[in-house]
Amino acid sequence: MLESRGVSGISEMESMRHDSDVHGRPPLPRVLMLVENLSVPADRRVWQECLALRRAGYDVTVVCPRGDERDPEPFVRLEGVDIHRYELRPAAGGMFGYLREYLSACMQTRKLALRLNRRRGFDVVHASNPPDLLLPALRTLKRRGSRFIFDHHDLAPELYLSRFGRRRDPVYRALRALERISFGIADVVVSTNETYRRIAIERGGRAAEDVFIVRNAPDPVRFKGAEPNPALKRGREHLLAYVGVIAPQDGVDYALRALALLRERRTDWRAVFLGAGDALPDMERLTVELGLEDHVEFGGWADDERVGELLSSADVGLAPDPRSPLNDASTMIKVALPVVTFDLPESVVTATGAALFAAGNDEAAFAARVDDLLSDPELRARLGAAGRARIAGPLSWSRSEEQLLAAYRHVLARPSAPRRNASVVADP
C-alpha cells in the first residue's frame, strides 16, 4: 500500500495516531530514521531496517533526500513507514561541493526532524552516515528524551583519503573529530562488519556491549530469484553483472579496464552495470574510450525486480572495489553468484569459497579470473552454491535482523532524559 499526501494530510494522519495512543492502546515505540546519501527505499539497507522494525511493532518515520530519477515525492507512506523527503542538490565541484551538500542536508534534516518531533516525539533517533553530522545536528532531540543509534555505514575519514587521494591533513583530522562526536553521543552503535565494530570500540571508545553488527545482506522475503532472461545476453553466451553504487571509490573503472583486457581473450560475453552515482557519466565516457560499447551496458538505478532478473540471468558477478583505506575495512555487498573481486581483507572474510580473488588493483589478474570462471561451468556452479549457502546461513539477513532488534532492545533499556510535552516545545 502506498499513499502520498501533502503537509495537511501528514498532520491529520499523525494526529489520528496520537489519538489512538490516548484511547487505551499502548503507543508503539517511535523511531526516526535519518539518511543523507540515498533516498528511501532506494537505500536497500535502510529500507530493510525499516521493514524489520515495522514487523517487530515499531512506528517508523524516515527523513531522507529526494531522488533524481526515483523517490521524488516529498511525502509517502509505504508499507507502514512514513517517508519525508527534502530537496537536495548533489555535490559538484569536489571536496567543497560535498561540504556544501552535507551542510545543506544537515540543516534540512534538522528542520524537518524538529517539526516532526514537536508533533509526536521519538523514542529512538537512528542516523546513518555519511556524513557524520546528522546526530550532532539533532542533539536537541536527545535532551528531549530520544535515544540515539549511530548506524556506521562508512568510515568517513578513510572515505576522504580514498576519494580525494589526500594525506592525513586538517580535513582528515576534522572528519576524525566528527566521527568521535557521533560515537560519543550515540547510545548504541550499529556496525556493518567486525572491522567497523573494532573501530567503534578502539577508535570510538565505545563499550563492546554497545556495538552490534548488522551486515548488508539481501532479504530473501523481498529479494527473490527471478526466471532467467536470455534476452539480456543479446546473443552472447555469457552475462556479467555489477549491481551497486557507481562512485569513484567503487572501482567500476577497474572493471571496465579489466573487461577491455578480457575482450582480447574472448568476445562471447556481455556486461550489465546496474546502479547510479556521481561517477556514472565518467564511466560511460570510459566505456566509449575503451571501445566497449558493444559489450557493456549501464542500466541506471533498478528496482528489486530488475536486479533479481539480472542476477538470475548472469554467469559471473563483478565486485571491482579497489584497495584503498576505506575498502580495505569495508564489506562489499555480495550476491548469490560466483564473484570475481580483489583480495580485500573483508572481502576475503565474506566471500572465501564463493569467489575468485585477484591481487589488489591488478586489472590483468581480474580479467584472468573472469576468464577462468567463464571457461569452467563446474567451478561457477560450485562457487555459486557456496555463495547461496553463506547468504542463507552465516551472512543471512535474518541474523542481521536479530542483531538489529537486539540493538533496539538494548537502547530502549537505557535511561533517557524526561520527555517534555512535544506539542508545546518550540524550536530552539
Side-chain angles (χ1 to χ4, degrees), residues 154-343:
D154 277 317
L155 300 172
E158 284 76 9
L159 176 60
Y160 168 74
L161 296 177
S162 301
R163 183 146 194 167
F164 297 107
R166 303 298 182 89
R167 297 182 180 274
R168 300 189 176 194
D169 58 14
V171 175
Y172 172 84
R173 291 193 290 273
L175 290 172
R176 284 286 296 266
L178 286 170
E179 181 188 72
R180 284 195 299 272
I181 292 171
S182 291
F183 279 134
I185 66 177
D187 296 292
V188 162
V189 176
V190 169
S191 302
T192 59
N193 62 34
E194 187 59 49
T195 298
Y196 276 44
R197 182 176 186 269
R198 187 170 64 251
I199 287 172
I201 295 169
E202 296 175 358
R203 196 160 92 186
R206 297 305 314 222
E209 62 268 22
D210 292 334
V211 186
F212 294 78
I213 295 177
V214 177
R215 291 183 175 274
N216 294 321
D219 183 353
V221 174
R222 301 184 59 82
F223 196 78
K224 298 177 181 178
E227 287 296 319
N229 181 2
L232 293 176
K233 297 186 178 183
R234 303 282 175 86
R236 304 279 168 74
E237 183 177 353
H238 299 295
L239 182 64
L240 314 177
Y242 171 92
V243 178
V245 178
I246 302 178
Q249 67 270 17
D250 295 304
V252 173
D253 55 332
Y254 284 83
L256 292 174
R257 289 189 290 268
L259 292 179
L261 296 172
L262 178 66
R263 185 186 50 189
E264 298 174 3
R265 295 169 173 252
R266 59 196 303 159
T267 59
D268 59 345
W269 55 271
R270 182 169 179 267
V272 175
F273 291 76
L274 290 185
D278 56 355
L280 178 57
D282 291 335
M283 297 304 100
E284 291 173 330
R285 284 191 291 270
L286 181 59
T287 299
V288 174
E289 292 171 10
L290 295 171
L292 290 171
E293 304 98 307
D294 190 43
H295 284 274
V296 172
E297 174 188 340
F298 288 91
W301 180 85
D303 58 19
D304 288 350
E305 183 177 353
R306 282 184 64 206
V307 171
E309 180 184 56
L310 174 64
L311 299 183
S312 296
S313 306
D315 300 287
V316 174
L318 305 176
D321 312 271
R323 281 196 173 279
S324 70
L326 173 68
N327 291 347
D328 284 353
S330 302
T331 300
M332 307 309 160
I333 298 174
K334 306 301 178 190
V335 296
L337 279 173
V339 174
V340 175
T341 184
F342 291 121
D343 56 353

Side-chain angles (χ1 to χ4, degrees), residues 35-43 64-67 70-71 85:
V35 60
E36 187 277 338
N37 61 339
L38 280 174
S39 59
V40 174
D43 189 318
C64 66
R66 299 185 201 179
R70 76 279 188 190
D71 305 334
R85 305 187 183 112

